[in-house]
Amino acid sequence: EGSTSPSPSLLAKFGLTRPPPKSLGPDRQADLLPVVVIVEADERSGVNGVLLNRRTGYLLGDLEQPPPEDSASADNMPPILEKFCIQPLWFGGVDNISTGLDMLHLCPTVEDATQITEDGMFWGGDPAQAQIAMEDPSLDRIYSGFDFKFFVQSTIWAMGDVKKE
């Protein structure tokens, strides 16, 4: 009961079979354990979170772009997510409920984003529209691609499972 080790079911959810050995030191141990931000919680659908510390190894610029309707202009067309091309793509978890990219960000003018913390962290919105929103002159500062984190997949728990883990 007084154990400080993560539960085996929690470790398994993130692909770990046991806690990191203490011989690695506290910083390396922390790198290996999952860090999750809860982005949605609902009595019916449960809890949805994303891992903050699991990179996919890809950048957004590595993703395939849909072909333009006018294929003659394809060579001159900038990438759709041009301002985010050098941003890493993060692996949000083991559950694949999303149909595209999910965004965690600090920009309050992104349409259809939900504020998830009192200090101004947002979840969701359209990444293409976010490129325009981050330069909105009404903002207190200009945002950059580094104020956005992009995820594929997420981690889902039933409402009672979060408390157990």
Side-chain angles (χ1 to χ4, degrees):
E1 288 256 333
S3 173
T4 59
S5 293
S7 74
S9 64
L10 177 62
L11 291 170
K13 191 163 191 89
F14 299 107
L16 301 170
T17 55
R18 61 186 171 173
K22 298 217 182 282
S23 62
L24 293 177
D27 289 339
R28 184 65 181 131
Q29 286 179 41
D31 285 343
L32 295 173
L33 291 174
V35 178
V36 179
V37 169
I38 303 298
V39 295
E40 297 170 329
D42 176 301
E43 288 293 328
R44 271 181 307 142
S45 56
V47 176
N48 184 13
V50 289
L51 292 167
L52 291 182
N53 58 340
R54 297 284 193 266
R55 286 185 60 163
T56 63
Y58 293 99
L59 301 175
L60 268 102
D62 295 335
L63 299 177
E64 273 190 41
Q65 305 269 337
E69 292 176 19
D70 173 16
S71 58
S73 64
D75 295 334
N76 300 329
M77 187 177 142
I80 293 171
L81 298 178
E82 178 179 29
K83 294 180 182 172
F84 300 125
C85 281
I86 62 168
Q87 295 308 307
L89 183 60
W90 298 85
F91 181 65
V94 295
D95 300 306
N96 193 9
I97 61 161
S98 178
T99 57
L101 290 176
D102 290 313
M103 267 187 326
L104 189 63
H105 57 91
L106 303 173
C107 186
T109 56
V110 174
E111 294 173 7
D112 299 323
T114 303
Q115 186 169 348
I116 60 171
T117 65
E118 290 179 15
D119 62 347
M121 187 179 297
F122 294 84
W123 176 249
D126 175 12
Q129 187 271 332
Q131 296 177 110
I132 299 163
M134 63 194 234
E135 295 178 348
D136 186 320
S138 70
L139 294 170
D140 61 343
R141 68 180 178 96
I142 294 176
Y143 288 79
S144 77
F146 296 105
D147 293 303
F148 294 79
K149 202 164 185 170
F150 295 90
F151 296 89
V152 291
Q153 299 186 209
S154 62
T155 302
I156 300 172
W157 292 270
M159 203 52 141
D161 290 347
V162 172
K163 291 178 183 176
K164 290 178 197 170
E165 291 182 3

